[in-house]
């Protein structure tokens, strides 16, 4: 059955090569480059055709115009396949292109030309391929973010002029945080099924291990570079990055142990990275403590100022005033006038006297019914 599958896969690759040979020539078509892409992403899971992969890299380095041909060939190859082997080899090939360090090429890719976020192999039952499917999806997720990150860095390098010191620190902190996110994605790329100890998986893990060393080394160098320039406003973010970098160093050691046990050749020796100086970390922590104390003092001073500014309103005390000078208003003349009293329709008993007046009213009977 395995021989039949390999023969059928070889026939598919041969048909793809013949289709390239008879395809119409256009400005963005390169038959030799497309043939190299097909051979580098063949259905053979027992080996990786590095010679044709290096031919692809040579074409890309020679002229950035060949990128269109590569994108067309890879996207057509991946979109028409249901094999995890072809999908994984395509990811490995594109990973190598991103590592070519050709700014004009990396800056143009930005996003991967295909989508493998929900990839599922269609040549075998799910019970045999679920581990490979997860591996391909995790690899794609990392490369998708990695290509976007590299493109953004190249764009910033081209467009940014000389920045202020504070702006450059903020930009560097943002770059380190993105690298840490990429390293978290790398840790998700690992074989988890029992039937995944294949040559192709081991080759892919070799590439991933090298990339993890590269990214973590950039994180550490970035942290050491930023420590002397970190100010009070950036101290909290810097300390957060340092703590995460320390935790990721432990995760990387565990990742290497896993890869070493699985048989990945590049994980035999755990790399030694330059440790972050403790004195610098203590200085950052002290800076954050001072900032917190300053803020608390400032808040206390603001509260005291508000208390001083408050006006306490007291109820005025009533005082008895004895005087023989009384002010008479017009209303008093009106009611004391006899004519006005007579003209009043329902006059009440009005008595003008210096003596108090008592008016007696009979209380209603509220008890008798």
């Amino acid at each position: 059955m395995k021989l039949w599958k390999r023969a059928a896969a070889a026939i598919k690759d041969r048909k793809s090569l013949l289709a390239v040979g008879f395809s119409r020539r256009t400005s963005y078509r390169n038959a030799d480059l497309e043939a190299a892409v097909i051979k580098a992403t063949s259905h053979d899971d027992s080996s990786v055709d590095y010679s044709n992969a290096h031919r692809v890299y040579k074409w890309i380095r020679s002229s950035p115009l060949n990128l269109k041909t590569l994108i067309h060939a890879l996207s057509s190859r991946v979109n028409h396949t249901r094999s995890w082997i072809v999908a994984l080899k395509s990811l490995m090939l594109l990973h190598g292109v991103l590592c070519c360090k050709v700014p004009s090429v990396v800056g143009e890719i930005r996003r991967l030309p295909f989508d493998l976020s929900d990839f599922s192999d269609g040549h075998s039952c799910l019970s045999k391929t679920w581990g490979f499917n997860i591996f391909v999806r995790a690899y794609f997720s990392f490369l998708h973010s990695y290509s976007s990150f590299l493109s953004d860095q190249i764009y910033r390098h081209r467009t940014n002029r000389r920045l202020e010191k504070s702006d450059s620190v903020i930009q560097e902190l943002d770059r380190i945080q993105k690298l840490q996110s990429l390293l978290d994605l790398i840790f998700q790329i690992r074989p988890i099924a029992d039937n995944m100890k294949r040559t192709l998986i081991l080759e892919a893990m070799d590439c991933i291990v090298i990339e993890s060393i590269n990214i973590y080394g950039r994180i550490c160098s970035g942290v050491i570079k930023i420590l002397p320039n970190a100010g009070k406003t950036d101290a909290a973010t810097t300390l957060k990055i340092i703590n995460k970098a320390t935790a990721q160093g432990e995760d990387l050691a565990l990742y290497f142990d896993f890869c070493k046990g699985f048989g990945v050749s590049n994980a035999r020796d755990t790399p030694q990275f330059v440790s972050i100086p403790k004195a610098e970390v203590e200085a950052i922590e002290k800076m954050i403590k001072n900032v917190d104390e300053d803020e608390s003092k400032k808040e206390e001073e603001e509260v005291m100022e508000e208390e001083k500014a408050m006006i306490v309103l007291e109820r005025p005390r009533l005082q008895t005033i004895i005087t023989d000078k009384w002010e008479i208003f017009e209303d008093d003349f009106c009611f004391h006038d006899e004519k006005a009293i007579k003209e009043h329709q329902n006059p009440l008993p009005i008595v003008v006297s210096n003596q108090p007046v008592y008016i007696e009213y009979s209380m209603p009977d509220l008890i008798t019914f």
Side-chain angles (χ1 to χ4, degrees):
M1 188 65 181
K2 290 183 178 180
L3 292 175
W4 169 249
K5 286 185 176 180
R6 289 185 179 181
I11 293 173
K12 290 182 179 179
D13 294 334
R14 179 62 61 181
K15 288 176 63 178
S16 298
L17 290 172
L18 290 174
V20 169
F22 289 103
S23 62
R24 187 180 62 175
R25 297 294 183 267
T26 60
S27 58
Y28 64 90
R29 299 294 294 272
N30 185 329
D32 294 333
L33 178 56
E34 291 185 42
V37 169
I38 293 172
K39 293 177 182 178
T41 59
S42 65
H43 288 76
D44 185 9
D45 66 335
S46 62
S47 62
V48 179
D49 193 342
Y50 286 108
S51 61
N52 278 288
H54 286 294
R55 287 183 62 192
V56 172
Y57 303 149
K58 186 177 180 181
W59 279 103
I60 294 299
R61 290 192 184 97
S62 63
S63 174
L65 297 176
N66 292 318
L67 179 62
K68 291 183 178 181
T69 303
L70 174 66
I71 295 301
H72 171 77
L74 269 180
S75 60
S76 177
R77 183 77 167 158
V78 173
N79 292 331
H80 290 85
T81 188
R82 300 178 63 192
S83 169
W84 69 267
I85 301 171
V86 176
L88 183 56
K89 284 186 176 183
S90 299
L91 291 172
M92 294 172 64
L93 184 64
L94 192 55
H95 193 179
V97 173
L98 294 176
C99 295
C100 285
K101 297 181 179 180
V102 182
S104 58
V105 173
V106 178
E108 291 295 329
I109 293 179
R110 290 194 63 81
R111 300 177 61 183
L112 300 191
F114 45 78
D115 185 9
L116 294 174
S117 57
D118 58 347
F119 174 80
S120 181
D121 186 272
H123 296 287
S124 300
C125 59
L126 185 60
S127 60
K128 295 181 180 180
T129 59
W130 66 270
F132 300 100
N133 296 338
I134 294 175
F135 191 88
V136 169
R137 294 171 190 171
Y139 200 169
F140 168 79
S141 179
F142 163 71
L143 278 186
H144 185 71
S145 299
Y146 190 44
S147 62
S148 179
F149 168 79
L150 293 177
S151 180
D152 289 341
Q153 293 302 307
I154 293 173
Y155 178 77
R156 286 185 179 183
H157 182 73
R158 290 174 179 174
T159 57
N160 285 353
R161 298 179 180 178
R162 188 175 183 85
L163 298 175
E164 297 291 337
K165 184 178 179 180
S166 59
D167 294 335
S168 62
V169 171
I170 293 174
Q171 193 174 94
E172 182 65 15
L173 291 173
D174 179 68
R175 187 185 73 90
I176 296 173
Q177 287 179 319
K178 289 181 178 179
L179 286 171
Q180 290 178 330
S181 298
L182 289 173
L183 190 59
D184 287 336
L185 291 176
I186 283 183
F187 292 151
Q188 303 300 318
I189 307 173
R190 59 177 67 199
I192 57 178
D194 296 334
N195 61 338
M196 293 184 67
K197 201 164 188 178
R198 307 279 190 92
T199 301
L200 182 56
I201 296 294
L202 291 172
E203 294 290 340
M205 288 301 298
D206 274 333
C207 300
I208 294 300
V209 165
I210 293 175
E211 195 63 76
S212 67
I213 297 173
N214 176 35
I215 291 179
Y216 188 69
R218 293 164 70 180
I219 291 172
C220 293
S221 61
V223 170
I224 294 173
K225 178 183 176 182
I226 208 67
L227 282 176
N229 300 320
K232 292 183 178 180
T233 56
D234 309 319
T237 304
T238 304
L239 184 61
K240 181 180 178 181
I241 289 175
I242 292 172
N243 293 334
K244 186 174 179 62
T246 303
Q248 283 187 327
E250 299 174 357
D251 294 338
L252 184 62
L254 295 175
Y255 189 72
F256 264 75
D257 290 340
F258 170 81
C259 294
K260 182 179 179 180
F262 189 77
V264 180
S265 58
N266 288 334
R268 293 174 183 173
D269 299 323
T270 304
Q272 298 294 328
F273 296 97
V274 178
S275 59
I276 301 172
K278 292 183 178 180
E280 297 287 350
V281 178
E282 292 175 355
I284 294 294
E285 293 176 347
K286 185 177 180 181
M287 190 181 300
I288 294 175
K289 184 179 180 181
N290 293 336
V291 170
D292 293 338
E293 291 178 354
D294 293 341
E295 289 181 354
S296 61
K297 289 181 179 179
K298 186 177 180 181
E299 290 178 357
E300 291 177 359
E301 292 177 356
E302 290 178 354
V303 171
M304 292 178 64
E305 291 295 331
E306 290 179 359
E307 290 179 352
K308 290 180 181 180
M310 290 177 63
I311 299 176
V312 181
L313 298 177
E314 296 182 356
R315 179 179 296 178
R317 296 180 180 179
L318 298 177
Q319 296 181 354
T320 302
I321 301 175
I322 302 174
T323 179
D324 56 354
K325 297 179 180 180
W326 297 96
E327 186 175 355
I328 300 175
F329 297 93
E330 295 179 358
D331 294 342
D332 296 333
F333 286 111
C334 179
F335 280 98
H336 294 171
D337 187 26
E338 295 181 359
K339 185 178 179 181
I341 294 173
K342 292 179 179 179
E343 292 178 354
H344 197 275
Q345 296 179 357
N346 188 19
L348 293 176
I350 298 177
V351 179
V352 180
S353 174
N354 294 330
Q355 300 298 325
V357 178
Y358 299 95
I359 302 175
E360 294 183 0
Y361 294 94
S362 59
M363 296 296 294
D365 187 359
L366 301 178
I367 298 177
T368 304
F369 296 94

